[in-house]
Structures are given as structure tokens and as C-alpha cells.
Amino acid sequence: MAKNILETQDLKAYFGNKQILKGINLAFLSNTVTAIIGPSGCGKSTFIRSINRINDLIPNFRIEGNIIFNDQDIHDKNVDEVDLRRKVGMVFQRPNPFPKSIYDNIAYGFNIYGIKDKYTIDAAVENSLKKVALWEEVKNNLSQNALTLSGGQQQRLCFARALAIEPEVLLLDEPCSAIDPISTAKIEELIHQLKKNYTIIIVTHNMQQAARVSDYTAFFLLGELIEFGKTDGIFTAPKDKRTEAYITGRFG
Amino acid sequence: MLGRKKFILGLKEKLIEKLLFLCSFLSVLTTFGIIFILSAESIEFFKEVPVLSFLTDTQWTPLFVNKHFGILPLLCGTILTTFIAISVALPIGLISAVYLSEYASDKTRNIIKPLMEILAAVPTVVYGYFALLFITPLLKKIIPSISGFNALSSGLVMGIMIIPLVASLSEDALRSVPNGLREGAYALGSTRLQLSFKVIFPAALSGIIAALILAISRAIGETMIVAIAAGQQPRLTLNPLVPIETITAYIVQVSLGDTPHGTLEYRTIFACGMTLFLLTLCLNIISFKLKKKFQEIYE
Ligand SMILES: Nc1ncnc2c1ncn2[C@@H]1O[C@H](COP(=O)(O)OP(=O)(O)OP(=O)(O)O)[C@@H](O)[C@H]1O
Ligand SMILES: [Mg+2]
């Protein structure tokens, strides 16, 4: 029986005095893929970056409302943000591999948790690189600096890095915006497979991509949730005029 | 009418350009002049003292009857004080840099940085007497056998003096690490400490090494503190508790003395100057290369 692994309740977010999110109520079923779409600047990144509390690092960022993850408010005193981020992984809009070797990029997540066992790490490196279809390309150069990889390879490495520590939720902020169509296809294929074990939230500007990979779609406009529902429904029969206008490319 | 105005304007432009060129040419000229004099006098010196004995003789007694011209004791003094200075400045400077770049709020940083720069603006002669009249007596309470002039107190004070240099340059290196790396590390569940030392620090390493090398070359060239507080006894020793002499302090000693121009004794300062020049030049080149490499990584 699927359950809501994650839920936002009347989520409002501010940068200084500027309100970015105006009360978002969204629930995410476990083992589903939800796409978040909307025009640039409508607060998609702000929304998903609130879920793993990365935005909390920005000095003038402030939040109201609740984000419930596994039945617990993530801003609860008992919730350790480091722990939360381990369970809620993220791939960023721009590839951000560490200037370390390919191997060390993936080993990092184990390293900071004090896991030193070489067999465990070796296996995780191989597995996660295989999942993102990067293994064949780099298996002989694992000690190569990750910055020497192409943009698409770097992004897949960041994906592998996030997968290696086995989070429960994956937040993907336009993971394909900086990469070529072939890598994009590989990542979409990966998202399909990952659904078995993960709950995925993906921000995308690509309507076809949203339609291809997601089960649910949420449409944001100027910090508000305009429409949410099954992806099929949203794309074939949107209830709101603004949603229709956006997905048919008439504005945004 | 218009043509004339244009003509005058153009003339002005040209004049200003020439003037600017002259100014920059002057500093280049000065540099070449210094190198020329250094080389010329050094060549005269090495006509009388073989390079080999300059580099291997273990005594430096050019002002005595029994003359020896071995740079090693002076070099040893320089290395000893530099080493002590760096042992102080590197850890404290780096920790300050990490604090300023990764922990401090903008507000705190804006207070602490100018304060640190004041530390760098104190005249070195003040540091020299601080070492001689404050630090040495303090050390004497802990280590009674320490001499009134010694490498330790001048090294320590020199270290304090270059903390701002290390901190400020390393902080620049740390802060120029792209924010995306910070977010990436946090998103994997790093603590701030892990982020600072396992991601940001290694990412900025070549910039930090460049800062370190610049600090070393600053310490090697530092004159006033060692001239005042380290003594004037060229000695081939690594004991920080006894009087020693550094290359720079020796140059001061001879320049202030009444050594006649044109003598071999007089030329020793140019040989010493040359040694210093080559040392710091090498270090600066390495530092420059590293810095360039560091900039390339993130562009
Ligand atoms: N660090 C910040 N400080 C102040 N304002 C910010 C900050 N980050 C984002 N904003 C503002 O928040 C609003 C929403 O930004 P957000 O990045 O969430 O948009 P987005 O929907 O992800 O857009 P895009 O599709 O272009 O990535 C924008 O108006 C932006 O200017
Ligand atoms: Mg965005």
C-alpha cells in the first residue's frame, strides 16, 4: 500500500521580504515520480531545495508551514538536518562534482559516514556507476579527476554519487538541462528503473520529459501551485486554463 | 575648427600614453638596475671566493682576521627563523581562513578582516622590539637557558606578523571555491566541518600552497625583526635558543658598519643579496604557477 512519504503543508518561503512560495500543499506517494513544471522564476528550485533544507543555508531565507517527511516535521528539533539530507538526496541543476577522482566522488558519502570498508565502497562505486550508465566509460580511469569528464558525464557522476548512499527520496533539479540528448535518454531510463526503490521529484522545463518520466505533475506559477494530478490527466485534459496555456507553450 | 580640436585631443592622448609608459618603464628599469648591480658585484665577489666554498664552507667570518665565506650558517639562520615563523603562521592562518570563509557571518567577517589587516600594517621595527623586550623575557620564564638574542622569539613574532597574509590569501582561495560544491557536499549529508576540511580545503589546495609559499618568501626576506631580536652570530645550528644571524640581518649589519666600499667584505652583501634574490624569486615563480593552475581549474 503506497503512502505519502513526503508532504508539504501550506509551505511559504521567503528570501528576505520577498515571498517566493505562497502556501504550497503537495503530497508525494512513495515510489512515484512527480514532475514539477512552471515558468522560470516561479519557485520550483526554491520548493525542492526546501525539502532537503539546502535553502536553510542561505542567510536571509525563511520558511513557514510544514514539511513532513516520514511522519515527522523536518524542522522539528529532533530532526538532524545531516541525517535528513542523507535520506533525501539531490542532483543539482548544474553538475557539481568535487575536484577529486571519480572514485573519491562516490566514496565521499561513505567517507563522511566513517565507512572505510574497501569492498563495500568498491561495490557501491561500481553499482552506482553502472546504474547511471557511466561504468563502461570510466571503469579504467576511476582515479581520473572528475572535472576532466564532459558535462553530461559529470552530471551522471553526480547522480551516481547521490544514489550510492541510497536515499529514500531523490530531488532532481533540472538534471538534464546541461547535458546532451543521449545522456538525457540514459537518465530518463534510469529514473524509470529507480522508481522501484525511490521516490523521485523532478523539476523540468521539458514538457516531453515530464510526460515521459512522471506519474504525477505539479504546475507552479508565481509561487503558487496551480494544478496537481496524474501526469496523463494534466497533459491531456488540464483543468486550469493557465496550465493548458503553459503546456501547450503559449506562455512561460 | 573641429579638426584642430581633434588634433589637440589626439596630441593629449598621445602625451598621456607616453607618460604612463614612462612610469611603468621606470619601475622595470629600476628592477633591471638592481639585478645588474647585484650581478656585477656578485661576479666580483666570486672572482675571489670560489662558488663551491661559498656554498659548502661551514663558517661565515668575513669581518674577522681568519676569513671564511660559507653562506651555510646564514642560510641556516634564515631557514630556522622561517621555519619557526611558518609553524606559527600556517596553522593559525589556515584556521582563521577556514573560519572566515566557511563559518563567519558576513558581519563578523567584515569586522575581523580589517582588524587582521591592521596586524599586517604594524611597522616591523615594532615587532622587532616586541620580540626582544616582551617575548624573549616571557620565554625566559619558561626556558631559563634561552639567550637574550635567539631564533625562537624572532621566529614566533615573525609568525604572528605573517598570520594575516596567510589568512587573507587562503581565505581568498577558499572563497573562490564555487558554491555548488558546498551545496553538493551538504546534500550528501556532510557536516560543516567535513565540508570545510574534506571538500573546500582540498579544492583550494593549490591556492593555499601558493599562499604558503608567498608567506615563506616573506619570512625569508624579513629583516627588521631578526636584525633586532635574533642576534648577530652566524652559527650553523638548529638550536632555536641561541643567537644566530640570518642573511638579511647580516646585510643590515655590514651596511650599517664602516666597511669600505669596493672591498671583499663589502661585496659579501651583494653575494648575500643575490642568494636571497634567487631564493625568493624561485618561490615566487612556484607560487605564481600554482595560482595560475588553481584559477584554471574553475574557469
Ligand atoms: N538566494 C536567493 N536570494 C534571493 N532571491 C532568490 C534566491 N534564489 C532565488 N531567488 C528568487 O526566488 C525566485 C524563485 O527562484 P527559483 O530558483 O525557485 O525559480 P525556478 O522556478 O527554479 O526558476 P528556473 O526555472 O529558472 O530555475 C526568483 O524570483 C529568484 O529571484
Ligand atoms: Mg531552478
Side-chain angles (χ1 to χ4, degrees), chain A residues 18-102:
Chain A
K18 201 165 125 201
Q19 184 169 13
I20 309 296
L21 298 177
K22 297 172 182 164
I24 306 284
N25 290 294
L26 261 179
F28 301 91
L29 281 174
S30 53
N31 302 91
T32 59
V33 178
T34 304
I36 295 181
I37 58 172
S40 206
C42 67
K44 306 180 296 292
S45 295
T46 307
F47 178 77
I48 69 167
R49 287 164 55 93
S50 297
I51 296 172
N52 64 347
R53 298 188 56 181
I54 281 287
N55 265 343
D56 292 4
L57 300 165
I58 298 171
N60 65 347
F61 181 76
R62 192 161 53 83
I63 223 165
E64 281 168 17
N66 304 310
I67 301 171
I68 311 293
F69 173 61
N70 280 338
D71 304 319
Q72 203 170 19
D73 191 321
I74 63 164
H75 286 93
D76 198 284
K77 277 198 296 294
N78 306 324
V79 176
D80 178 18
E81 69 209 53
V82 167
D83 219 43
L84 170 77
R85 293 187 189 124
R86 256 189 119 69
K87 292 184 188 139
V88 182
M90 183 163 205
V91 177
F92 293 81
Q93 195 159 341
R94 282 179 57 183
N96 56 355
F98 303 130
K100 302 173 184 288
S101 71
I102 294 170

Side-chain angles (χ1 to χ4, degrees), chain B residues 93-171:
Chain B
L94 284 185
I95 290 170
S96 320
V98 169
Y99 170 75
L100 285 175
S101 141
E102 304 303 318
Y103 286 81
S105 66
D106 286 353
K107 223 177 180 175
T108 342
R109 181 172 32 242
N110 289 342
I111 296 170
I112 292 184
K113 262 204 126 174
L115 281 182
M116 255 180 16
E117 265 139 37
I118 292 177
L119 205 59
V122 175
T124 52
V125 63
V126 175
Y127 279 114
Y129 282 100
F130 177 63
L132 183 66
L133 303 176
F134 183 75
I135 299 293
T136 300
L138 206 67
L139 288 171
K140 223 177 184 108
K141 288 200 184 120
I142 309 164
I143 320 164
S145 68
I146 199 167
S147 311
F149 295 100
N150 58 76
L152 186 58
S153 76
S154 41
L156 290 177
V157 171
M158 208 149 86
I160 295 170
M161 183 191 71
I162 53 181
I163 287 171
L165 177 82
V166 176
S168 160
L169 290 177
S170 318
E171 197 232 0

Side-chain angles (χ1 to χ4, degrees), chain A residues 49 54 57 82 85-86 92 96-100 108 111-113 147 161 165, chain B residues 180-181 183-191 194-195 198-199 202-203 297-298:
Chain A
R49 287 164 55 93
I54 281 287
L57 300 165
V82 167
R85 293 187 189 124
R86 256 189 119 69
F92 293 81
N96 56 355
F98 303 130
K100 302 173 184 288
Y108 179 80
N111 184 330
I112 56 174
Y113 256 50
L147 293 179
R161 186 174 73 180
I165 54 172
Chain B
L181 288 189
E183 293 185 342
Y186 275 129
L188 289 169
S190 307
T191 61
Q194 289 166 336
L195 164 79
K198 294 190 171 182
V199 177
I297 296 178
Y298 298 113

Side-chain angles (χ1 to χ4, degrees), chain B residues 36-54:
Chain B
F36 176 74
I37 293 174
L38 263 185
S39 316
E41 296 279 353
S42 301
I43 288 168
E44 289 302 311
F45 174 82
F46 286 115
K47 273 184 189 157
E48 288 178 61
V49 179
V51 176
L52 193 71
S53 74
F54 179 71

